[in-house]
Amino acid sequence: MLTIHLLPVLYGDTILINIPKSEKQANTNILIDCGYNFTSELLPLLEQFHADGKRIDRFIITHYDDDHIRSAAKFIKDNGSSSSPKIIEIEQVWLNAY
């Protein structure tokens, strides 16, 4: 079943979508934006995803407004190296920028 997490981030957006696949294929997980409240709202969910053996396939940052990107840098920094992530594996980061 498709699951969409619309996280309470005061104002702005943080959306985590889990798209199920067949029994032989892994789910696809898409994180869209990273507004406020990373530590209290998004981090526990990402830690649970990691504990369940999931990863973030696409981390999409739609634009630079503070209410959409406030916690993105903190998340990336706290997550550490892509070869040895501290929170969760991220396959790709998509940034809407020139």
Side-chain angles (χ1 to χ4, degrees):
M1 171 175 44
L2 175 73
T3 305
I4 301 174
H5 302 269
L6 301 171
L7 300 177
V9 292
L10 301 177
Y11 57 91
D13 291 305
T14 300
I15 302 166
L16 182 56
I17 303 170
N18 176 259
I19 304 166
K21 299 287 183 173
S22 70
E23 292 179 21
K24 296 179 182 180
Q25 292 179 316
N27 291 357
T28 298
N29 299 295
I30 302 170
L31 176 60
I32 304 171
D33 290 332
C34 199
Y36 298 94
N37 289 347
F38 166 71
T39 303
S40 63
E41 299 296 334
L42 180 58
L43 181 57
L45 187 55
L46 293 176
E47 290 173 333
Q48 183 60 54
F49 267 50
H50 175 74
D52 293 342
K54 298 176 184 174
R55 69 178 187 185
I56 299 300
D57 297 285
R58 308 290 178 277
F59 178 20
I60 302 169
I61 300 171
T62 60
H63 61 286
Y64 280 101
D65 287 354
D66 198 43
D67 58 333
H68 291 259
I69 195 170
R70 167 63 71 114
S71 296
K74 178 171 178 40
F75 171 36
I76 296 291
K77 181 180 178 186
D78 289 356
N79 202 37
S81 167
S82 62
S83 62
S84 182
K86 296 176 185 167
I87 301 169
I88 192 166
E89 178 185 351
I90 302 171
E91 180 67 23
Q92 295 179 0
V93 177
W94 293 0
L95 175 63
N96 182 18
Y98 179 67

